[in-house]
Amino acid sequence: MTAWMLTACNDFLDIKPYDRTIPESAEDFSALVHNMCDDIDKGGVVGAAVVGSYKETEDLEAVCDNMATNLTGSSDNLRTYIGTILSARQSLYQDLYQEIRNCNIVLGDFEDGRDTRERQDIVGTAYALRGVSYYQLLRMFCAPPLADDAQLGVPIVTEFDMEAKPIRSTLQETIDQAERDLKAALDCDIQEEMYRFNNDVIHGYLARLYHWCGRWQEARREARLVVRNHPLLSGDEYTKMMSTQFGLTGNKLFMADRLSSSQMDISASMKFLEGRPLSADYAMLFSEGTNDIRRKGNLFFNRKRKNRKLMFSGMRSAEMALIAMECAYHLNMADSALAELNDFRRHRILTDDYAYTMQTLPSVNTQTLIKQDATGKPLTPLIQAILNERRKELYLENGDRWFELKRHGRPEFWVAVNGQKFWTRQYMYTWPIFLKDTQVQPNLIQNPGYEETF
C-alpha cells in the first residue's frame, strides 16, 4: 500500500506550468499527504526543512557556544563557523515553499467527501504542515519579532499558481498566516496516527509560535495544556526516554528521523560529535554534578566533556514546561516562574536541595553570550536561571541553542580556526532568501548582509 501511494505521488507531483497534473481522488490526496509525513519520518530533504533533522541539529549545534569550537582538532569533522553553511541555508527556503505548494494543492483541490473523517484528517494535516512551514520560514528568514529591525516577513502563498511571483509580506502577516493554519488544523481534530499532527502536537507548535513572537500569555496557555497532557518525567523513565534513539518513547510528542533506516547516518553524526568537547561554559551549568540525572552515568557527556547525548529533532513536553516558566517571568509572575523552575529541577536533580529561592538564585554571569532577555532588557538572576535550564535540557535538540542566541540579541562572537578569526555577525542569524527567487522577482527584498554576497 505504501509503495503504491508513493508511486502515485511521484506521478501527480510532476507539475508543469502549462500542463498541470494534480490529484483527483481521495486516495490521491491521501497519498500526497502521506508522502509528506513519510518524508519527515525518513528525515528526507523537505521533511528536514519543515520539522528539522539530525543533520540540521548537528550543524547548528556545532557553530554555537555549546561546543568548544576553538579546541577543534584534525579528527573533528563538524562545522566550525556559520559562514560555511549560510549559502546552503537557501535550499531550506526552497524546500519549505515546495511543502507549502503541496499543501496548497490539497487545500485548493480536495473537495470530494468534504465532511468525512478521512477528509478532515487529510485537510487538517495539510493545514498543519503549511502552518509549521511558515513558522520555520519566520524563524529562519526573518528578524526576531521583538527586535528593532523586525519588519519583513516572507511571501505568503495560499493558492497553487505556477505563474505567481509574490513579494515579501510584513512580519505580522507571516505570523498571522502561521497562526491561522495551525488553528485550522486544530479545528479538523486529526485522528489518524500516521498523519502525526494530533492536537497536542499542534498546541505545541502554537506555543512555539507565540513564544517566538513574544505573545507570552498565549504561549503559556498552549504550553501548559501540553504539559498537563504529557507530564514531566524523572528517574528511570527519563533516562530510558533520553537513551532511546527511535520511537516516541516517554513524553516525546513528535519526532523526525523516527525510522531505524536512518540509524547508520545518525550513528556517523554521533561519532563526529564525540570528536569535539563541549564548552566549559556549558559544562559548568551542571553545578550539581552527578546529582543531576543528565550527568549521572554520563547521560549527556562524560568527564572529558565528550558528548553522550542522543540527537533529537521533534518535540518533548520538557520544552513546553520551559516555555511556560519563561512566559510567566515576562508576564511579571515571578513567583509562578520560580515555582515552575523548581518543579522542573525536582525532576532532574536527585537530591532534596534542588529548590531555589529569590535569594539563593545564582548571580548573573556576565561572561556568557546571552546578556539580555527576549525583550532586550538586562538579565536578572531568575530569567538567566530559566534560560540556563533550557540550555542544559535542550542541548543537541532542534538546533535550539542557535535560535535562542537569535532570540536573545543575536550576539556576535568569533572562533579560531587554523590561526584565523571567523566572526558570527548579527546579520548571519537571519539567513539569505533563495537567490533564484530574487532574480525572478526583482522586488523580492534580500535580507541585509547578503545583497552583494549571494
Side-chain angles (χ1 to χ4, degrees):
M1 175 66 73
T2 300
W4 173 82
M5 294 172 86
L6 298 183
T7 301
C9 192
N10 287 335
D11 290 339
F12 62 65
L13 285 184
D14 183 20
I15 299 167
K16 302 176 179 59
Y18 302 105
D19 183 21
R20 294 193 307 168
T21 303
I22 62 174
E24 295 180 355
S25 67
E27 289 77 12
D28 287 342
F29 286 103
S30 176
L32 174 54
V33 174
H34 181 83
N35 189 57
M36 291 189 279
C37 293
D38 187 66
D39 200 50
I40 293 170
D41 288 351
K42 295 188 301 185
V45 173
V46 176
V50 176
V51 300
S53 69
Y54 74 90
K55 182 58 179 172
E56 186 74 4
T57 296
E58 174 197 304
D59 282 349
L60 292 181
E61 198 68 55
V63 299
C64 64
D65 60 340
N66 280 344
M67 306 198 87
T69 309
N70 290 333
L71 298 180
T72 298
S74 58
S75 62
D76 189 341
N77 293 290
L78 299 175
R79 303 287 188 177
T80 55
Y81 166 57
I82 187 64
T84 62
I85 57 176
L86 275 175
S87 181
R89 302 302 91 181
Q90 296 176 93
S91 65
L92 296 175
Y93 182 90
Q94 185 181 28
D95 294 336
L96 287 164
Y97 275 105
Q98 179 179 327
E99 190 81 345
I100 289 169
R101 178 202 68 184
N102 293 344
C103 293
N104 288 343
I105 291 173
V106 174
L107 297 173
D109 293 288
F110 186 24
E111 297 180 355
D112 291 342
R114 181 176 294 274
D115 298 325
T116 65
R117 177 70 265 165
E118 178 186 24
R119 183 191 184 281
Q120 289 297 300
D121 286 348
I122 293 171
V123 170
T125 306
Y127 274 123
L129 286 167
R130 193 170 73 178
V132 173
S133 295
Y134 278 115
Y135 163 72
Q136 289 286 63
L137 285 164
L138 178 71
R139 287 202 310 160
M140 296 174 180
F141 299 97
C142 304
L146 300 183
D148 291 339
D149 57 338
Q151 298 177 13
L152 286 174
V154 295
I156 301 296
V157 186
T158 58
E159 296 179 356
F160 176 69
D161 183 355
M162 293 295 294
E163 303 303 313
K165 297 178 182 178
I167 60 174
R168 297 181 71 164
S169 67
T170 66
L171 188 69
Q172 188 58 55
E173 287 170 337
T174 304
I175 296 169
D176 292 345
Q177 183 63 52
E179 181 183 21
R180 277 195 302 271
D181 284 340
L182 291 171
K183 286 185 173 181
L186 270 183
D187 290 339
C188 291
D189 188 25
I190 301 164
Q191 298 291 313
E192 174 56 57
E193 191 277 335
M194 76 173 182
Y195 292 130
R196 311 307 183 215
F197 290 90
N198 60 41
N199 285 352
D200 285 336
V201 173
I202 297 170
H203 281 298
Y205 268 107
L206 279 168
R208 285 176 169 178
L209 174 66
Y210 294 142
H211 181 243
W212 182 258
C213 299
R215 292 165 60 174
W216 312 119
Q217 189 72 52
E218 294 158 294
R220 180 170 168 80
R221 179 195 67 218
E222 299 291 336
R224 283 164 61 85
L225 187 155
V226 174
V227 175
R228 282 197 298 271
N229 293 338
H230 301 271
L232 291 172
L233 300 181
S234 58
D236 291 342
E237 286 183 305
Y238 178 79
T239 300
K240 180 181 178 180
M241 175 181 66
M242 301 306 290
S243 303
T244 303
Q245 182 71 71
F246 301 104
L248 294 179
T249 55
N251 55 25
K252 294 176 180 176
L253 284 77
F254 182 85
M255 68 180 297
D257 294 301
R258 64 187 287 178
L259 302 181
S260 57
S261 57
S262 304
Q263 185 169 0
M264 185 176 297
D265 291 335
I266 293 176
S267 296
S269 286
M270 294 302 301
K271 193 68 176 176
F272 292 159
L273 288 165
E274 293 176 12
R276 180 182 299 173
L278 297 173
S279 66
D281 181 47
Y282 176 75
M284 289 172 61
L285 295 175
F286 295 85
S287 57
E288 292 83 5
T290 55
N291 286 326
D292 189 317
I293 195 171
R294 295 164 291 197
R295 290 286 292 112
K296 184 181 179 182
N298 301 327
L299 184 62
F300 275 28
F301 59 93
N302 64 19
R303 285 189 290 181
K304 294 183 179 181
R305 308 204 314 258
K306 294 299 183 73
N307 178 68
R308 291 292 183 268
K309 185 183 179 185
L310 298 176
M311 286 186 290
F312 178 69
S313 293
M315 182 183 295
R316 295 194 289 122
S317 61
E319 178 191 353
M320 298 295 113
L322 291 160
I323 286 175
M325 70 180 77
E326 183 189 340
C327 291
Y329 173 85
H330 289 299
L331 291 167
N332 297 317
M333 301 164 56
D335 290 344
S336 294
L338 180 62
E340 290 170 29
L341 172 62
N342 283 332
D343 182 65
F344 191 95
R345 286 170 55 79
R346 179 175 64 85
H347 288 82
R348 300 293 179 265
I349 308 303
L350 302 173
T351 56
D352 292 334
D353 56 350
Y354 59 84
Y356 290 132
T357 67
M358 289 297 184
Q359 291 70 39
T360 61
L361 283 164
S363 58
V364 173
N365 180 359
T366 60
Q367 301 305 308
T368 58
L369 284 181
I370 291 180
K371 302 183 187 304
Q372 64 180 54
D373 67 23
T375 68
K377 297 176 182 177
L379 295 180
T380 65
L382 178 54
I383 188 60
Q384 184 166 80
I386 292 171
L387 297 180
N388 283 347
E389 205 60 50
R390 180 178 183 118
R391 185 180 179 187
K392 286 190 287 183
E393 180 73 16
L394 299 184
Y395 154 69
L396 213 55
E397 299 190 23
N398 304 310
D400 190 76
R401 182 59 178 174
W402 173 261
F403 291 105
E404 281 294 280
L405 293 176
K406 179 173 181 175
R407 199 166 62 91
H408 291 92
R410 295 170 290 179
E412 297 189 343
F413 61 98
W414 59 269
V415 295
V417 182
N418 296 325
Q420 293 181 298
K421 279 186 178 181
F422 292 86
W423 280 90
T424 295
R425 299 296 187 185
Q426 187 184 75
Y427 78 89
M428 294 178 175
Y429 288 94
T430 302
W431 296 337
I433 300 294
F434 188 50
L435 177 60
K436 289 184 179 179
D437 280 13
T438 64
Q439 293 172 336
V440 170
Q441 170 53 281
N443 294 321
L444 184 64
I445 301 171
Q446 181 59 274
N447 283 323
Y450 306 108
E451 298 92 340
E452 303 298 330
T453 307
F454 287 84

